[in-house]
């Protein structure tokens, strides 16, 4: 089964679904109230299209997982595309009973039309897993698959991941994620100050651009390092602001 959550992804979800249509035994799309043609496009590829509310990334992906019926599940974002190499590698791995219950899949980042290889851009989350031993945690953002048992393997082939439509979309996405992370941290008892927010932002830039060699990706690496640093600052500045608003309300 392939599971995808989506909202207002009409310009991108078609290529994602095209990359798994006719290959996956089942495609499940869970939409959270799109106002564009996302649902109509999804229904061209599968009858398993559902529209629901939005409880956060982790809970929404768990809902999609609950609707899957195959033994193995591949979780995709609406902006991720399977290559021929990755489909072939998954077919090869699942022809026999695997020795693992989940696989990490490399997800090299494509920003503004270019692959970037450094600065923390390379990720390999668990995306392929046995349905009966897996669940998504309840994180509102940066959710993860958790396995109740078994080992995790690594696939060689990667997902194509053109994550940002343009620079404005990147800023909007990082801003939304920062607010979600700040609220999650507040509920866990975390606190911050403006000094801490500023220092964390500066350190994040130094860490990604210099220590993780983001400068080797040129201007694209610099842009990504700035975006990550701004995200870090916004996350902790928002955490400080929440505390200020709570104190003022008392």
């Amino acid at each position: 089964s392939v599971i995808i959550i989506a909202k207002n992804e009409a310009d991108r979800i078609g290529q994602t679904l095209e990359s798994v249509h006719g290959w996956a035994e089942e495609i499940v799309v869970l939409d959270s109230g799109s106002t564009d043609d996302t649902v109509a496009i999804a229904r061209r590829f599968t009858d398993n299209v559902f529209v629901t509310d939005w409880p956060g990334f982790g809970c929404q992906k768990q809902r999609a997982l609950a609707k899957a019926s195959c033994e193995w599940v591949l979780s995709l974002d609406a902006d991720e595309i399977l290559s021929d190499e990755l489909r072939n590698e998954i077919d090869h791995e699942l022809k026999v009973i695997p020795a693992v219950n989940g696989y990490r899949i490399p997800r090299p980042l494509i920003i503004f039309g270019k692959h970037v290889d450094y600065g923390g851009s390379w990720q390999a989350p668990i995306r392929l897993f046995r349905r009966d031993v897996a669940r998504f945690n309840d994180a509102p953002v940066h959710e993860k698959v958790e396995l109740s048992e078994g080992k995790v393997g690594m696939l060689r082939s990667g997902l194509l991941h053109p994550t940002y439509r343009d620079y404005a979309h990147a800023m909007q996405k990082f801003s939304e994620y920062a607010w979600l992370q700040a609220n999650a941290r507040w509920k866990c008892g975390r606190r911050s100050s403006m000094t801490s927010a500023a220092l964390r932002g500066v350190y994040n830039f130094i860490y990604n651009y210099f220590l993780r060699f983001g400068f080797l990706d040129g201007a694209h690496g610099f842009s990504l390092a700035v975006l990550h640093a701004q995200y870090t600052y916004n996350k902790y500045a928002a955490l400080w602001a929440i505390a200020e608003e709570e104190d003022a309300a008392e």
Side-chain angles (χ1 to χ4, degrees), residues 144-218:
K144 295 180 180 180
V145 174
E146 299 175 342
L147 302 182
S148 61
E149 62 180 56
K151 298 180 180 179
V152 177
M154 173 77 78
L155 298 182
R156 297 184 302 275
S157 306
L159 290 163
L160 302 176
H161 186 216
T163 185
Y164 309 121
R165 295 179 176 93
D166 50 35
Y167 198 83
H169 179 231
M171 290 192 295
Q172 176 190 356
K173 196 169 184 177
F174 274 113
S175 178
E176 292 173 353
Y177 283 8
W179 182 246
L180 289 171
Q181 284 278 36
N183 277 277
R185 279 168 164 72
W186 170 262
K187 292 176 181 177
C188 291
R190 299 280 297 276
R191 300 295 182 266
S192 181
S193 67
M194 287 302 291
T195 300
S196 175
L199 290 175
R200 286 175 181 272
V202 171
Y203 175 76
N204 184 270
F205 176 82
I206 294 171
Y207 180 64
N208 284 319
Y209 191 64
F210 293 106
L211 301 182
R212 302 179 85 178
F213 306 107
F215 61 88
L216 294 178
D217 284 316

Side-chain angles (χ1 to χ4, degrees), residues 122-137:
W122 195 92
Q123 299 175 344
I126 299 174
R127 288 303 189 84
L128 179 65
F129 46 84
R130 271 184 49 199
R131 179 172 57 87
D132 60 338
V133 298
R135 64 164 286 110
F136 287 92
N137 62 20

